[in-house]
Amino acid sequence: GKAERNPAQGVKMLKEKNARDRVLTPEEYARLVAACPPHLKPVVQLAYHTGMRKGEILTLKWGQVDLKEGFIRLDPEHTKTGEGRWVPLNQELVGMFRALPRGLPGARVFTYQGRGVAEMKRSFVSAVRRAGIEDFTFHDFRHTFNTNAYRNGVPIPTIMAITGHKI
């Protein structure tokens, strides 16, 4: 059965070069979301539930978000690998997007004081500290998503397709 399978084994394939093994626990995630200022909270939710890269999230425009079908469309020019992909949205994310002030298709999804959130490193580091979380970087959300998806029985090729991992 599933219990004998070593959950770390499959995730090894999903490791990026010089990847770390830090995975955020559900409890830590809840504390982090609670510690986030309003403009950072949806960014953190999206990273946790999709494994999208920071650059893909911060440059996301409303025209890429399809709430009716429940996914985000990343075009080749939006991704590090230069390959487009579809990123599925769960109910938490659909609700989160619905709660945000929707802009025109070309407008950035994540804004702070009316402008696109270009850099959120300071507020992210502060939120991690406030939440009492040790040794966690924004990029660790990718490994967290991969690990959680794998533990939930999502096949590795599917995880790789969602996160845009090169095989």
Side-chain angles (χ1 to χ4, degrees):
K2 207 165 162 185
E4 296 93 75
R5 197 172 68 172
N6 173 4
Q9 232 165 11
V11 185
K12 289 274 183 288
M13 286 179 61
L14 300 163
K15 291 277 277 278
E16 302 190 330
K17 287 182 280 302
N18 59 45
R20 295 148 41 85
D21 259 323
R22 181 68 165 94
V23 172
L24 202 64
T25 68
E27 296 74 33
E28 286 175 323
Y29 170 64
R31 293 206 315 264
L32 180 55
V33 166
C36 283
H39 74 280
L40 182 61
K41 186 175 157 179
V43 169
V44 162
Q45 289 173 285
L46 189 58
Y48 180 81
H49 286 295
T50 65
M52 285 171 66
R53 294 182 180 88
K54 182 164 74 169
E56 294 168 344
I57 293 174
L58 296 184
T59 57
L60 188 66
K61 295 186 169 65
W62 279 110
Q64 296 170 254
V65 181
D66 185 336
L67 294 180
K68 211 165 60 235
E69 299 296 329
F71 56 76
I72 286 170
R73 190 186 73 245
L74 293 176
D75 299 319
E77 63 269 23
H78 301 136
T79 69
K80 197 175 95 172
T81 55
E83 285 178 13
R85 63 185 202 273
W86 304 95
V87 179
L89 300 173
N90 63 13
Q91 283 314 109
E92 180 184 331
L93 292 179
V94 170
M96 176 209 85
F97 278 114
R98 289 223 162 97
L100 290 172
R102 183 144 190 143
L104 293 169
R108 289 270 178 95
V109 172
F110 302 109
T111 59
Y112 179 60
Q113 295 173 344
R115 288 201 301 276
V117 180
E119 196 32 82
M120 37 113 234
K121 190 165 182 138
R122 265 204 324 260
S123 57
F124 178 74
V125 169
S126 305
V128 168
R129 198 176 321 130
R130 271 197 306 278
I133 294 169
E134 298 287 315
D135 183 40
F136 186 78
T137 68
F138 196 87
H139 193 76
D140 292 334
F141 278 125
R142 280 176 71 72
H143 189 58
T144 297
F145 172 80
N146 291 336
T147 302
N148 288 341
Y150 186 76
R151 284 176 185 158
N152 289 329
V154 179
I156 285 173
T158 305
I159 300 172
M160 294 176 90
I162 292 169
T163 56
H165 275 86
K166 280 283 212 222
I167 301 186

